[in-house]
Amino acid sequence: MPARKLTSGRIGLKALAFAAFLTCLVEPAQALYPKKGDSAPHHGVRDARRKVIQGIDVSRWQGEIDWARVKDAGTRFAFIKATEGGDHLDPNFRRNWAEAKKHGVARSAYHFVWWCRSAKDQVRWIKKHIPRDPDALPPVLDVEWQNDSQCTRRISKELALAKIQEMLKGLREHTGKKPIIYTDINFHEDVLEGELNDYPFWLRSTAAPLAKRYARDRWEFWQFTTTGRVPGISGDVDRNAFFGNEREFEAWRRGHFDIGSRKWHGGEPKVAARTPPPPTPAGLRAPKEAGGTKLRFAPPGRIPNAHTADNRRADVTGSIRNN
């Protein structure tokens, strides 16, 4: 009996260890961002939670933010609401913009488009309020139908695209950086499907993988929840994931990598080839850094060989527009 209990204990320990290992494989982001959470997590966006580089988007609805704690939680980037239409400035924008920079959070300003205002008016308003900081991330143009605002007008696809292109051009001329397009499922289907494919897209899907919601081959940013919890922010906050790895993110920040076209400026950096260790003379031990472990002798003339990864409605409800 004692032996049986010992065996069961060993099996139990092994099972626990294996379960912990599987958890690391399934949710590596949990280990990367242990201080962040979600008040209503959805299994349909688990792929976004596995992305290494994650951030948030904020507006006045998040109140006064403690950016030191936001940074400490591992936040890599923040999309900060700046302007809307042709006459609205988010009252918390300037403070959020300055505090995010002060605490080392890469930040981007976004403009929410009003279809009742001309593109010219909106570009003029953007240029008046969005800073031209050389260290800022490229700006965002937020395009979606305004179902819950004073401007519920739906214009034609052709007119919408013309306005979008005019505002993208204005943002690029003002900041010197290629803008990002934020959109949701309905607007993408009505206007953007198959359009502007050279631009980076920031897509919303809070209940399913992006591939099940959008007829688009690739994405750059994924808004995967509106019920995120991040230290330094009271209540819910939108959480987002970047598509790529650390090298691609940093190269994009420095202007060396176009995430929209997936093109490197000046060519993709070369990874230095690993120099193979020199052959080990017969009868000698290879150094540890060359892979050697035990002292092994070989017959003269021979060298020993080294032995050498829901539903549509849940996604459409809400948006980053918080005016």
Side-chain angles (χ1 to χ4, degrees), residues 81-90 110-130 140-144 146 149-151 163 166-167 171 320-323:
K81 183 170 184 178
T83 50
E84 179 174 329
D87 57 6
H88 177 75
L89 173 68
D90 188 280
Y110 75 83
H111 171 78
F112 183 82
V113 173
W114 269 53
W115 305 111
C116 297
R117 297 295 294 260
S118 71
K120 184 177 180 179
D121 285 347
Q122 296 187 68
V123 169
R124 186 185 300 116
W125 189 249
I126 286 168
K127 290 182 176 181
K128 183 176 180 180
H129 294 288
I130 291 183
V140 175
L141 193 68
D142 175 2
V143 289
E144 48 192 296
Q146 295 133 309
S149 74
Q150 299 172 4
C151 177
K163 285 192 170 191
E166 186 173 346
M167 284 182 274
L171 273 171
I320 69 168
R321 175 182 172 270
N322 294 309
N323 59 332

Side-chain angles (χ1 to χ4, degrees), residues 8 49 70 75 77 88 96 98 118 124-125 141 154 156 178 183 197 212 292 321:
S8 299
R49 301 183 189 280
V70 168
T75 303
F77 61 88
H88 177 75
N96 284 333
S118 71
R124 186 185 300 116
W125 189 249
L141 193 68
R154 290 203 178 194
S156 68
K178 187 177 184 179
T183 195
N197 292 327
K212 292 187 177 182
R321 175 182 172 270

Side-chain angles (χ1 to χ4, degrees), residues 166-186:
E166 186 173 346
M167 284 182 274
L168 288 172
K169 180 182 178 182
L171 273 171
R172 190 165 191 171
E173 288 175 350
H174 178 60
T175 64
K177 299 174 183 180
K178 187 177 184 179
I180 301 162
I181 299 171
Y182 170 90
T183 195
D184 61 12
I185 297 166
N186 286 338

